[in-house]
Amino acid sequence: MTTSTTSLTLNNGVDIPALGFGVFQTPPEQTVEAVETALRIGYRHIDTAAAYFNEREVGEAIRRSGLRRNDLFLETKVWINDYGYEETLHAFQKAVGKLGVDHLDLLILHQPLPSAFERTIAAYRALERLQADGRVRAIGVSNFMPEHLDRLLASVSVVPAVNQIEVHPYFRQSELLAVDARHGILSQAWSPIGGITFYFGGDGTSTLDDPVIARVARAHGRTPAQVMLRWHLQQGRSAIPKSTRPERIAENFDVFDFELTDAELSAIDGLDQGVRRGPDPDSITLANYGREIPEA
């Protein structure tokens, strides 16, 4: 018997599949096939974003799958250019139009945008409206640090259901995980197997080659990637792995029938280097990261 389940319950009672399939940096021309493959393998949670510029292709894959809308958990993100109350309401319309659906399961703000936080608050209030109207089942944030959460929670009514953040064995973000837990916010890991350690800001080391993770993987007859995903799930996090290779997509989903020991979990925790590989959320401004999100 394993200690993690295939789904988690958000703070508003909505169930979310613990393991999602991500399409960050997946070119549009590869997205349809990758998502179709994921759905065929068994994923029922798809994570995309306006700023990935592949929502339309995600929607096409969903249509081709033949699955009923209510059998899927669909998550996307509002980009900073569309922050503001009316702007974010319109961003929702753009997203559902591209995805070809009438509602979203989870809609989150992609970055805190502290340089214009009044727009962030207005955007989040639009998310609250969308949830109240039943057009979105749950709302949340991404890349929000403790100080950003404090500022947000002081101004809004609905506690975010999810905070999607960089978490992998080399950057555990233990303080932020604790803050999320204290507020009843589910931590959702992007780059959960540490892909960012070898494609952005790497220092020559990779989580996939880490000897501790390799030792744990050998003990269970699993791959390092499967061990890292299992680490997230057993510690109560949602995880969003990504790949365009069918064998990797399948491998990443095959993580529900083994269990890491407490000692193994602690050993992986101990790999934390405290070094962020992704951009500092405070560095994300309209001046240097602004990008218009097209209507269709």
Side-chain angles (χ1 to χ4, degrees):
M1 180 63 67
T2 55
T3 57
S4 69
T5 61
T6 58
S7 67
L8 299 161
T9 302
L10 301 176
N11 57 18
N12 65 347
V14 169
D15 287 336
I16 178 174
L19 200 63
F21 182 74
V23 293
F24 172 61
Q25 291 187 329
T26 301
E29 63 272 15
Q30 296 180 28
T31 299
V32 175
E33 183 178 357
V35 174
E36 276 192 291
T37 299
L39 294 173
R40 187 166 56 250
I41 285 167
Y43 290 84
R44 292 296 179 265
H45 173 186
I46 305 298
D47 171 74
T48 183
Y52 298 170
F53 300 104
N54 56 17
E55 288 174 311
R56 186 182 302 102
E57 289 73 21
V58 168
E60 177 61 24
I62 290 170
R63 285 188 291 277
R64 292 186 186 183
S65 75
L67 292 167
R68 296 180 305 171
R69 172 67 184 91
N70 290 343
D71 290 334
L72 296 173
F73 191 97
L74 193 52
E75 168 180 3
T76 191
K77 310 174 191 72
V78 180
W79 188 241
I80 56 177
N81 286 63
D82 286 337
Y83 283 11
Y85 188 80
E86 294 297 335
E87 294 92 334
T88 297
L89 292 178
H90 184 60
F92 165 81
Q93 294 295 342
K94 288 194 285 187
V96 294
K98 292 170 189 171
L99 289 162
V101 297
D102 61 0
H103 72 279
L104 296 171
D105 298 291
L106 178 62
L107 183 59
I108 63 180
L109 301 183
H110 207 146
Q111 294 287 345
L113 195 62
S115 60
F117 205 71
E118 69 284 351
R119 291 186 60 174
T120 304
I121 292 170
Y124 192 84
R125 287 176 175 156
L127 298 190
E128 292 180 315
R129 166 74 180 277
L130 290 165
Q131 180 173 302
D133 289 350
R135 289 179 282 177
V136 175
R137 298 175 66 216
I139 61 177
V141 295
S142 180
N143 300 303
F144 274 53
M145 299 301 108
E147 63 272 20
H148 307 138
L149 289 172
D150 287 344
R151 292 178 69 185
L152 182 73
L153 292 171
S155 303
V156 301
S157 301
V158 178
V159 176
V162 166
N163 188 11
Q164 188 183 109
I165 55 177
E166 179 186 348
V167 184
H168 48 78
Y170 285 177
F171 190 57
R172 189 176 185 274
Q173 297 219 71
S174 297
E175 177 191 357
L176 180 54
L177 293 179
V179 169
D180 284 349
R182 189 159 62 245
H183 289 298
I185 300 170
L186 176 68
S187 295
Q188 186 177 75
W190 63 258
S191 194
I193 62 175
I196 201 165
T197 63
F198 46 86
Y199 67 72
F200 184 95
D203 57 2
T205 62
S206 162
T207 49
L208 290 176
D209 298 326
D210 187 274
V212 171
I213 295 171
R215 173 174 52 79
V216 175
R218 285 194 299 271
H220 292 273
R222 296 289 176 151
T223 66
Q226 288 173 321
V227 164
M228 287 183 271
L229 291 171
R230 188 70 207 162
W231 169 71
H232 288 291
L233 297 176
Q234 282 187 225
Q235 294 188 339
R237 290 185 292 281
S238 171
I240 310 291
K242 54 153 287 189
S243 180
T244 58
R245 296 169 56 185
E247 68 275 16
R248 294 288 184 229
I249 295 171
E251 173 189 317
N252 291 341
F253 193 70
D254 185 20
V255 293
F256 293 102
D257 60 350
F258 72 104
E259 186 168 4
L260 305 180
T261 68
D262 289 343
E264 289 168 338
L265 293 171
S266 295
I268 297 170
D269 286 345
L271 299 175
D272 184 20
Q273 300 172 355
V275 177
R276 183 187 304 281
R277 264 45 178 224
D280 185 329
D282 285 342
S283 74
I284 306 293
T285 66
L286 284 163
N288 60 6
Y289 281 91
R291 57 189 71 174
E292 292 296 327
I293 303 301
E295 291 292 322

